[in-house]
Amino acid sequence: MSRTFDAIELELLWRRLISLVDEAAAAMVRTSFSTLVRESYDFSCVVTDASGQSLVQASESIPSFIGTLPETVKHFLHFFPPDQLAPGDVLITNDIWLGTGHLPDVTLAKPIFRGGKLIAFSATTAHAPDIGGKIRSPEPREVFEEGLQIPPMKMIAAGKTDETLVAIIRKNVRTPDQIMGDLYAQIVALDLMEDRLLVLMENYGLPDLTDLAREIQGRCETAMRAAIRELPDGTYHSELKTDGIMETPITLKLKLTIRGDEIEMDFAGTDAQVDRAINCALCYTNAMAMYGVKVCTSPNLPNNEGAWRPITLKAPPGCIVNPQFPAPGGSRMLIGHYVPMLVFGCLGQIVPERVMAACGSPMWGMNQSGVRDDGKGGGRPYANMFFYNGGMGGNTQRDGVTCLSWPSNVSSTSIEISEHIAPLRFHHKKLRPDSGGPGRHRGGLGQEILIESRSDTPIAVSFLAERTIFPAFGIEGGRDGAPGELKINGVKTDPKKQYVLNKGDTVSLGTPGGGGHGDPRQRDPAARAADLTAGYVTDATVYRG
Amino acid sequence: MSAPLSLGIDIGGTFTDLVIHDPRTGRAVIWKESTTPDDPARGALLGTQRVLEKAGVKPEQVGRVVHATTLFTNALIERKGARTGLLTTAGFADALEIARERKYELYDLFIEMPKPLVPRPWRREARERLAADGSVEVPLDVDAALREVAELVEQGIESLAICFLHSYANPAHERAIGAAVAERFQNLSISLSCDVAPEIREYQRASTTVANAYIRPLAEVYLERLEHALSSSGIPGGLFLMLSNGGLTHVSEAKRTPVQLLESGPAAGALAGAWFGRNAGLQRVLAFDMGGTTAKLALVDDGEPLVAYGFEAAREKRFLRGSGLPIMIATVELIEIGAGGGSIARRSDLGTLQVGPESSGAQPGPACYGRGGTEATVTDADLALGYLNADFFLGGAMKIDRAATEAALGGLAVALDVERDRAGFGVHDVVNENMAGAARVAIAERGRIPAEYALLATGGAGPVHAWNVARKLGVTRVVCPPGAGAGSTIGMLMAPARVDRVASFSTALAGADFDRAEAVFAAQEKESLEVLRPTGADASGRVVRRLADMRYIGQGSEVTVAMPSPLTEASVRTAFEAAYKALFARTPPGAAIQFVALRLSVSAPMPGAGGKLELLRHPSSQALKGIRPVFFADAGKMLPTNVYDRYALEAGVTVQGPAVFEEDESTFIVGPGATARLLPDGSILAEVV
C-alpha cells in the first residue's frame, strides 16, 4: 500500500530533509582540515534511498558533485549487496571512475537501517588535503602516479574500524593526521544524517523512504521535463578547442538533441584521452554537463535523481571525456570546466538570452611542495595549493563579474595566509586591464599575481592553467577576452609541466578575462566612460567598429 | 537625588522606539514615533518629548540616554556614505575589488557581486612592505604616499582608509602614515586597519576598515548633533551607544569606530532576550524575534548572547551568505530567516506549499489588511486559525477584512488541492518548520541540543508562533516578555558597558611564550579600561573575559576558547580540547594546536541599568476577556479557548492551556497541556508539564 503526501506534508518533509543534510554539511565545514572543504565547499552530503537514488543534496555543494555521489552509492551496492551490509558499516572509496574523477575526493557512505531493513544511505564526498603520489599537476601519465587508490571497501564494519586500511592510508599520505581528521569529519556527518533521518521517519510514521522518494523525485522529474518541453526540438552542435597539452590542442564536441521532454548529449567526435592528468572521467563530465543544462533550464530545481532522469549522456569510451583505465585524472577540471560552455554553445542557439559568453575558466592554481628545514638536520615536507580565478563572460543583462570562480566555487587564498604558510613573497595581485572581452556587456577582468620564492630549499611547482592559447570567446558580436599567461622569471612557459623554483625565482600568473556579450559599439556611453576612468579599459578604440 | 531616569531610543527603518525607565522602581513607559529618514535625530527628539510627557517626567530627571540606530547600516545598503579613499601596500590596491572570488549563488549566470565601497581611481598604493612576521622588508616612503593622498583630497575624498599587508602583526607603517596624513590634511577622517580590525586576511580587514571610513563622517556629524540636541532639550545625562557586541560605549569611541554600531538594534534585541531569560531563571535561551518580513534567532548561553567575530553587511541577497561585505567586529550572533507575518504563501513550481521569503511588506500587506493584497500570508493564516483577533488588531487600531483572508486562503487551497482549513494550518506549520530548521542548524553548529533551551518570543508575530515552533524543536519552555514590540529598547537599558579587543598571536601551543600572552592581555585590559572609563561604568564590578582563537595546525577556521588561569601548555590544551569537543564531538588524533589571536572583552555594569522592570499594568479580576475558537494541531480542530488581557493578570497567576494572551503589540498563544505563569516582571512563562 503506497502512501501519498499532500502539498503541505511534502513541503514539511522536504524541508526537514534539506535541513538535515545542511546540518551535516555545517558540521563538516567546522571540523574539516581541508581548506577546500571549509572555504570552497568542495564536498557534498546526500541522502539516498535504499537503491542509491538521491533524495536530497546539501544546498551549497559545488556542481562537480551533481549526481556523482548517488552513483558511487550504487557502485557500493554492486560490491556490497544489501545482504552484506550491516548497521554501523561505513563504506569508502576514491576510485576515480566510481567516484568523481580524481583521487583526492574520498567518498564515504553509511547504510541506514530501520526495523532491521536497509532503508537509505547517508553519503559524503570531500576533497582530502592530500592523497599521496605526485603533487597535483597535469604531469602524471597513469593513475598510479597520482596517489593512493582505495577500492570500494568497508572502512568500518559493524562499528569496528579496519585498522589495516587506516594504517595503509596513513603511510601513503603526506599529512596523515589531517587526512584521518577529515575522514572522521565525514563520519560525523554520516552519523548526523542517519540520526536526523531516523527521527524524521519516526515523527512522520514512515516505515521506509520508497513513497517519499517516488514523490520527491517524481516532482523534480516532471519539472525538468516541463522545462525541456519549452525548448524547440532539434539537434544542435558545438565545438571547442582547449590548450590541451600545449603542443597538441584538444577538440571537444557535443551534439545535443532535444526531443519532446528529453535531452540527449553525445560527445562523439571528441579527441582521445591523453597520457596526462587532464582526462575527465565520465562521472565528472556528466556532473558538468548536467550543470550546464540545469543552469539554463531550471536553475532553482533541487538536485536529486528525478531532475536528471530526462537527460541522457554518452561519450565514446577512450575519448577525453570518458577516459579508460589507467588514464590519470588529477587535473580533470582542465577539460571538465569547458563542458558547461559546450552545452551553452548548443542551447545558446535556441535560448541565447539564457547563456553567457565564455568565462576565463577552468580555474587557475599553483601547487607548491618542498621540504622545510626543521632545524634538526631533517626536513618537514609541505604542500600547498593556491587558487586564482579569471573573469566571467558578459551576458544579456550585464557585464561579467571580475575574478570569480566558475563553474566551480573555489575562493582564492588570502595573501597574508599564503605568506604565513609558504616561503613565498607576493609582489602584486592586481586586475589585468583590457583583459575583459569588449562587448555591449564586457567580460569580467582577469588578474595578475607575481610570486617570488624566498625559500632556501628548492620548491617544486606545478600549475592549473588553461586558455593560454584559446581565449574565452565573445558571443553575439562580443569579442574575446585576453588569454591567460604563465611566466617564470619573466619568460612565457608551458603551464602543463612541473618546475623547480630556487630562491629569488618568480612566477607570474595572468588569469584569462571573460568574453564580451554583444557588439562593443553598442556599449552604453556611461559604461564606456566608467571603464576608462577605472582603468578597466585603457584603449577607447575597442568601442569603434 | 539627581537625574535617576534612563531613556532608551532605538531608531529603526519605520519606527523609533522609546522607553523611559526608572531603575529604582522598575517602572517603564513605552512610546513609538515614526522615524524621520531625512533627519533621524528629529524624530528621536520628538519621540523624546512625547515619551517624557506620557511618563509625566521632566527632561532634568533623565540621567542617561542609550541609543541604537540602523542609520549606518542603511548608509551602507544605500551607498550613501562619505567619498572614501583607500591606501594600500604597493601591488594590492585591487584586493578590495578582487575580494574572495567566490559566488554566493551557484546557479545564477547573471550574478552581481557587491561593488567595493571605494572605486578603483580612489584606491592608491604606498611603497612599503612588511613580512608575515611583521619585520620591515621595504621601509615606508612617507612623501610618496602623501602625494597619493593629496591627489585623492583634491578629488574630493572626505574619508581615508589605510590597510597595509601584515599590519595586524606590526602597525608601525600604518600609524606613521596615519599621523603624517592627519597632520597634513586636518579635515580628513582617517581609519587605520590596525585600529579597526587588527586580524589576518587582507580582504576582510580592508573591507571592515573601508566600511568604517565610509560611515565615519556621517557618524561624527550625527552623533554630535544628537548629543547637542539632547542637552539643549534639557537632558543633563550623557549619551551612550549600543554596540553590535551587546554592550554600551560612549560617543567618542563610537565616532572613532562606528562600524561597531552596525548591528546595534539586533544586538539590543538579543540582549533583551538574555535579560528576560535571566529574570525567568533560564540559563539557555533561544531568542526568537519574528516581525513582518523576517525572523531573527539568537542563542543565549549562561545568560549572555553568543558573540561572533564577523558578519556581513549590505548583502546583495538578504538571506544569502557570501553576498555582503565582510565586517570583522565582535557582534551578537544572529540568524536571519525570510519568515514573518507578511510572508507570502504560494504553490511552488514543484507543487508544494512554499511560504516566504517573499513578503507582502507594508503595501499591500496581508490580505486581511484590506489594502488590495490578494495572496495569502502568514498573518492571514494566523487570523483564520483564531490566533489573531480580528476585533483587536494592533489593540483595535486596525480594521481587518476577514472576507479577503477567506478568499486568499480559498485560492491557495484550490491551487494546492487541499481543504481550506488544511491550507490555513499548512501555512502556519510550514513557516514554523522553516524557522525550526534554521534553529536546528544553528544549535547543531554549536554542538548543543534544542531541548536544553527555552524559547523567548518577541516581535509582532513571535509570540503567535513560539509555542508551535517550540514543539517542533522539542523545547518545553516558552517565555513571552511584556511589551514584545519594544523589546530591543528595553535590552539597551539593561546593557553593560563593553569593550572588545583583538590582537594577532600566531604561534604553536607547544613552546608558546605565555609571558608574552599575559602581556598582550594586560595591554588589552588597560586599553579597554581607558575606553570604558568615560562611560561612568562601575569598573570594580567588571567582568573580564580572556579568550583565544585557536585551531589545529592546518585547519582554516578557529575556535574561540575561554583561557584558563594561569596560562600553561597543559591548561590551555585542556581548555581547547574541551571547547573543540563541545562543538565537534571529538578531537582528531595526534594533531598539533596553535594560537591565532588573543581576544579580551571587558564589561562593567552601568549605573542606572536596573535589574527591575515594570511595565504599566492594571491588574484586575476582569483579566478573562472572553472565549474564542482557536485551532490546535494536537486536537486537530478549533477548541474554545480563554482569551486574557495580559496586563490585567496578577503576577503569580497560573493559567492552563490552551490560552490566548492579548496585548496591543502581539498575541501569545499556548496550546493544550501547557501551564502558563505570570512572572513578576510581566513575562509569561509557559511550560509543558
Side-chain angles (χ1 to χ4, degrees):
Chain A
M1 191 184 74
S2 76
R3 176 164 168 183
T4 56
F5 305 91
D6 75 15
I8 294 157
E9 231 176 345
L10 192 59
E11 174 73 15
L12 292 167
L13 283 161
W14 209 327
R15 285 271 146 213
R16 284 281 288 274
L17 285 172
I18 292 170
S19 113
L20 77 88
V21 289
D22 284 347
E23 207 181 315
M28 264 188 75
V29 166
R30 296 297 299 267
T31 49
S32 178
F33 283 86
S34 162
T35 323
L36 284 168
V37 167
R38 281 184 328 251
E39 292 182 13
S40 307
Y41 289 76
D42 193 351
F43 74 97
S44 186
C45 296
V46 305
V47 169
T48 76
D49 63 18
S51 65
Q53 309 248 337
S54 78
L55 273 85
V56 64
Q57 178 174 0
S59 312
E60 295 194 62
S61 301
I62 55 174
S64 320
F65 299 116
I66 296 179
T68 60
L69 198 37
E71 288 308 306
T72 310
V73 173
K74 287 172 205 152
H75 292 304
F76 278 136
L77 272 168
H78 173 75
F79 286 86
F80 299 97
D83 61 0
Q84 293 178 33
L85 293 171
D89 283 354
V90 173
L91 307 166
I92 184 170
T93 189
N94 72 338
D95 184 286
I96 71 176
W97 289 274
L98 308 181
T100 76
H102 74 177
L103 293 178
D105 284 343
V106 182
T107 299
L108 299 184
K110 183 172 195 186
I112 300 173
F113 293 83
R114 179 166 155 84
K117 189 177 145 204
L118 176 69
I119 46 107
F121 285 90
S122 59
T124 80
T125 297
H127 194 294
D130 181 61
I131 199 67
K134 201 175 173 82
I135 62 163
R136 189 160 162 193
S137 96
E139 281 215 324
R141 283 157 198 265
E142 293 174 335
V143 68
F144 303 105
E145 294 175 55
E146 297 190 296
L148 178 67
Q149 297 186 69
I150 307 167
M153 55 192 299
K154 288 187 183 180
M155 178 176 160
I156 301 177
K160 195 170 175 321
T161 304
D162 182 342
E163 296 298 342
T164 308
L165 174 66
V166 170
I168 290 175
I169 294 174
R170 291 190 69 95
K171 188 67 182 173
N172 277 277
V173 297
R174 291 178 179 84
T175 49
D177 292 337
Q178 296 188 10
I179 305 305
M180 292 316 299
D182 273 12
L183 291 179
Y184 280 109
Q186 289 183 260
I187 292 168
V188 166
L190 295 179
D191 291 348
L192 199 146
M193 286 187 273
E194 176 187 37
D195 176 66
R196 302 298 190 267
L197 182 66
L198 290 174
V199 169
L200 167 76
M201 294 175 74
E202 187 65 41
N203 287 168
Y204 283 87
L206 301 175
D208 58 41
L209 291 176
T210 315
D211 298 327
L212 183 60
R214 189 190 53 244
E215 194 68 47
I216 284 180
Q217 291 159 356
R219 294 208 180 209
C220 282
E221 180 176 348
T222 306
M224 182 56 102
R225 287 189 189 279
I228 296 172
R229 210 176 299 115
E230 281 178 19
L231 304 173
D233 278 9
T235 297
Y236 311 94
H237 295 268
S238 77
E239 184 175 327
L240 282 174
K241 272 193 179 355
T242 84
D243 292 1
I245 41 179
M246 305 313 282
E247 62 272 24
T248 354
I250 284 167
T251 300
L252 305 177
K253 283 190 182 173
L254 174 64
K255 181 176 86 173
L256 186 149
T257 304
I258 298 170
R259 207 175 295 116
D261 58 6
E262 296 194 341
I263 288 180
E264 183 193 88
M265 290 185 275
D266 185 350
F267 289 82
T270 293
D271 283 350
Q273 69 188 60
V274 294
D275 57 356
R276 295 295 160 76
I278 62 172
N279 298 298
C280 179
L282 193 61
C283 47
Y284 194 77
T285 304
N286 191 63
M288 286 294 140
M290 293 297 173
Y291 174 72
V293 171
K294 187 166 177 270
V295 84
C296 290
T297 54
S298 45
N300 299 319
L301 196 62
N303 278 314
N304 69 39
E305 204 81 22
W308 47 85
R309 272 184 202 143
I311 304 168
T312 51
L313 183 142
K314 53 187 184 181
C319 81
I320 199 162
V321 296
N322 185 11
Q324 304 298 301
F325 181 81
S331 302
R332 70 210 190 306
M333 77 290 295
L334 294 183
I335 292 295
H337 284 181
Y338 283 102
V339 169
M341 273 301 152
L342 211 51
V343 174
F344 294 172
C346 294
L347 294 179
Q349 297 169 35
I350 45 178
V351 280
E353 72 284 359
R354 296 196 206 163
V355 303
M356 62 177 166
C359 287
S361 59
M363 65 185 171
W364 279 49
M366 181 171 99
N367 201 337
Q368 328 102 55
S369 72
V371 176
R372 263 203 195 116
D373 192 350
D374 67 357
K376 299 173 203 151
R380 213 154 36 84
Y382 69 90
N384 294 306
M385 183 94 197
F386 297 147
F387 293 98
Y388 307 103
N389 297 289
M392 279 179 78
N395 60 58
T396 46
Q397 297 175 23
R398 56 185 66 95
D399 292 347
V401 179
T402 283
C403 300
L404 196 65
S405 183
W406 189 92
S408 193
N409 207 14
V410 176
S411 49
S412 145
T413 310
S414 121
I415 302 293
E416 289 174 342
I417 298 272
S418 303
E419 290 190 346
H420 260 280
I421 62 181
L424 300 172
R425 162 74 184 279
F426 286 68
H427 287 274
H428 59 241
K429 185 172 189 285
K430 59 185 187 187
L431 298 176
R432 292 178 76 200
D434 303 312
S435 59
R440 188 167 80 86
H441 291 143
R442 175 173 51 67
L445 271 56
Q447 59 182 317
E448 186 181 297
I449 305 107
L450 180 64
I451 305 166
E452 178 190 336
S453 167
R454 288 293 178 89
S455 172
D456 292 324
T457 50
I459 305 176
V461 289
S462 61
F463 303 93
L464 297 173
E466 259 291 328
R467 288 202 191 278
T468 62
I469 299 171
F470 302 102
F473 51 84
I475 60 173
E476 308 283 317
R479 307 230 194 96
D480 296 350
E485 204 171 56
L486 177 74
K487 291 181 194 162
I488 292 184
N489 293 327
V491 180
K492 263 181 98 163
T493 307
D494 178 351
K496 299 293 177 349
K497 295 205 168 107
Q498 183 173 309
Y499 300 88
V500 172
L501 299 183
N502 290 307
K503 193 170 189 171
D505 286 347
T506 63
V507 175
S508 163
L509 299 104
T511 65
H517 189 285
D519 188 335
R521 284 172 300 187
Q522 291 172 16
R523 186 164 177 78
D524 175 51
R528 294 182 192 196
D531 278 350
L532 292 166
T533 309
Y536 300 143
V537 173
T538 60
D539 174 8
T541 63
V542 298
Y543 302 120
R544 297 198 200 117
Chain B
M1 178 155 181
S2 65
L5 303 182
S6 295
L7 171 66
I9 308 172
D10 181 7
I11 304 185
T14 318
F15 289 108
T16 297
D17 289 332
L18 299 106
V19 176
I20 189 102
H21 179 234
D22 185 336
R24 292 168 308 174
T25 62
R27 180 171 175 254
V29 175
I30 295 173
W31 182 260
K32 254 181 163 30
E33 186 67 43
S34 286
T35 295
T36 48
D38 57 310
D39 175 14
R42 197 177 74 236
L45 287 170
L46 197 62
T48 298
Q49 280 171 22
R50 300 259 167 84
V51 76
L52 291 176
E53 277 164 28
K54 182 176 171 190
V57 298
K58 297 191 180 65
E60 303 87 86
Q61 290 173 266
V62 177
R64 61 177 195 133
V65 181
V66 291
H67 180 38
T69 176
T70 54
L71 184 62
F72 309 122
T73 310
N74 292 344
L76 281 181
I77 293 170
E78 293 162 15
R79 298 299 171 104
K80 286 182 178 160
R83 293 160 67 91
T84 302
L86 170 66
L87 189 67
T88 72
T89 302
F92 300 94
D94 285 331
L96 191 73
E97 181 164 350
I98 294 172
R100 288 169 290 201
E101 306 183 28
R102 192 164 182 271
K103 305 185 289 285
Y104 55 85
E105 168 62 87
L106 290 165
Y107 295 93
D108 181 7
L109 295 182
F110 309 101
I111 192 166
E112 277 184 287
M113 299 302 285
K115 297 253 179 307
L117 293 172
V118 180
R120 197 161 190 248
W122 290 348
R123 301 195 301 255
R124 298 299 177 91
E125 297 181 348
R127 239 175 67 80
E128 70 85 36
R129 187 64 150 88
L130 303 178
D133 63 0
S135 61
V136 176
E137 291 226 339
V138 178
L140 172 67
D141 183 340
V142 175
D143 292 340
L146 281 176
R147 283 194 294 277
E148 296 289 335
V149 175
E151 278 187 36
L152 292 179
V153 171
E154 270 166 39
Q155 292 177 28
I157 67 152
E158 304 154 279
S159 191
L160 179 71
I162 301 175
C163 183
F164 290 164
L165 281 184
H166 301 299
S167 67
Y168 57 88
N170 176 5
H173 282 181
E174 282 189 8
R175 294 222 184 283
I177 190 64
V181 172
E183 195 189 314
R184 172 99 173 265
F185 306 100
Q186 292 179 3
N187 293 325
L188 191 63
S189 170
I190 301 165
S191 299
L192 306 182
S193 85
C194 62
D195 286 332
V196 178
E199 294 191 53
I200 190 166
R201 288 184 183 90
E202 68 280 1
Y203 166 65
Q204 285 82 348
R205 190 169 72 253
S207 168
T208 310
T209 312
V210 161
N212 193 69
Y214 190 73
I215 58 176
R216 195 169 169 189
L218 181 73
E220 283 169 350
V221 170
Y222 168 75
L223 292 173
E224 253 158 54
R225 170 157 155 60
L226 184 65
E227 199 174 27
H228 178 74
L230 285 169
S231 78
S232 34
S233 72
I235 293 177
L239 175 62
F240 301 96
L241 284 305
M242 187 78 214
L243 297 173
S244 309
N245 66 10
L248 296 178
T249 197
H250 52 81
V251 172
S252 66
E253 170 76 358
K255 283 182 189 164
R256 193 179 70 88
T257 47
V259 78
Q260 292 186 78
L261 273 59
L262 286 175
E263 291 283 280
S264 60
L271 215 60
W275 188 83
F276 282 111
R278 267 200 313 268
N279 256 16
L282 303 166
Q283 284 309 299
R284 287 194 173 165
V285 171
L286 180 61
F288 163 59
D289 182 283
M290 184 178 178
T293 53
T294 63
K296 296 188 184 77
L297 296 167
L299 290 182
V300 177
D301 275 6
D302 305 322
E304 300 257 348
L306 291 193
V307 169
Y309 298 97
F311 78 105
E312 285 177 24
R315 284 183 173 166
E316 287 283 315
K317 299 269 167 74
R318 187 161 184 184
F319 304 110
L320 283 184
R321 195 156 42 176
S323 71
L325 304 169
I327 305 289
M328 308 306 290
I329 56 154
T331 179
V332 164
E333 210 167 348
L334 287 169
I335 302 111
E336 201 180 28
I337 311 146
S343 293
I344 295 172
R346 282 185 189 144
R347 182 184 187 277
S348 74
D349 294 343
L350 296 169
T352 63
L353 169 59
Q354 183 184 328
V355 184
E358 228 181 301
S359 168
S360 62
Q363 278 300 341
C368 66
Y369 284 13
R371 294 179 189 150
T374 55
E375 288 186 289
T377 65
V378 169
T379 298
D380 291 304
D382 290 344
L383 183 69
L385 294 165
Y387 298 151
L388 300 179
N389 180 354
D391 303 323
F392 188 67
F393 213 81
L394 287 181
M398 185 162 196
K399 279 289 287 173
I400 284 305
D401 185 347
R402 202 176 248 290
T405 283
E406 301 286 316
L409 285 171
L412 180 68
V414 170
L416 296 174
D417 190 24
V418 297
E419 299 289 317
R420 193 173 66 191
D421 290 351
R422 171 96 178 114
F425 187 69
V427 173
H428 180 84
D429 206 18
V430 166
V431 80
N432 287 352
E433 185 59 46
N434 292 350
M435 296 184 290
R440 274 187 214 108
V441 175
I443 292 170
E445 277 177 347
R446 287 157 195 88
R448 305 263 199 259
I449 50 172
E452 296 170 349
Y453 286 82
L455 208 62
L456 189 126
T458 55
V464 181
H465 288 256
W467 183 257
N468 286 333
V469 170
R471 291 180 61 87
K472 280 188 184 290
L473 291 170
V475 164
T476 56
R477 288 166 301 173
V478 178
V479 186
C480 181
S488 18
T489 327
I490 289 163
M492 292 192 306
L493 295 174
M494 307 303 173
R498 176 166 169 155
V499 182
D500 276 78
R501 287 292 180 259
V502 57
S504 163
F505 190 71
S506 177
T507 174
L509 173 61
D513 180 350
F514 291 107
D515 290 342
R516 214 180 99 225
E518 291 286 2
V520 170
F521 280 136
Q524 287 179 328
E525 186 168 350
K526 183 162 172 279
E527 192 196 327
S528 300
L529 287 174
E530 274 161 22
V531 174
L532 213 62
R533 189 168 305 120
T535 64
D538 174 15
S540 67
R542 70 181 178 268
V543 177
V544 179
R545 283 183 196 75
R546 307 196 311 167
L547 309 162
D549 290 358
M550 304 183 70
R551 63 187 185 202
Y552 287 107
I553 292 174
Q555 287 181 317
S557 57
E558 297 86 36
V559 175
T560 302
V561 184
M563 286 292 98
S565 188
L567 293 173
T568 65
E569 200 174 311
S571 68
V572 173
R573 178 184 307 279
T574 305
F576 173 73
E577 286 177 349
Y580 195 91
K581 271 191 195 142
L583 284 172
F584 309 128
R586 60 177 116 195
T587 54
I593 300 167
Q594 71 173 146
F595 285 100
V596 175
L598 301 179
R599 298 183 181 276
L600 182 123
S601 87
V602 178
S603 56
M606 289 293 285
K612 263 167 79 176
L613 178 76
E614 186 156 332
L615 287 159
L616 216 48
R617 281 221 302 268
H618 43 85
S620 86
S621 54
Q622 302 299 308
L624 182 61
K625 289 167 74 175
I627 295 176
R628 73 166 183 255
V630 178
F631 183 86
F632 290 97
D634 3 23
K637 60 178 181 186
M638 304 290 254
L639 298 177
T641 303
N642 288 345
V643 180
Y644 297 91
D645 171 359
R646 73 177 287 173
Y647 293 115
L649 287 169
E650 299 256 17
V653 161
T654 297
V655 170
Q656 295 302 318
V660 174
F661 301 92
E662 288 187 344
E663 60 182 316
D664 289 3
E665 299 88 358
S666 189
T667 306
F668 183 39
I669 307 290
V670 300
T675 301
R677 195 156 43 92
L678 199 79
L679 304 180
D681 68 6
S683 294
I684 301 169
L685 170 65
E687 295 180 88
V688 185
V689 190

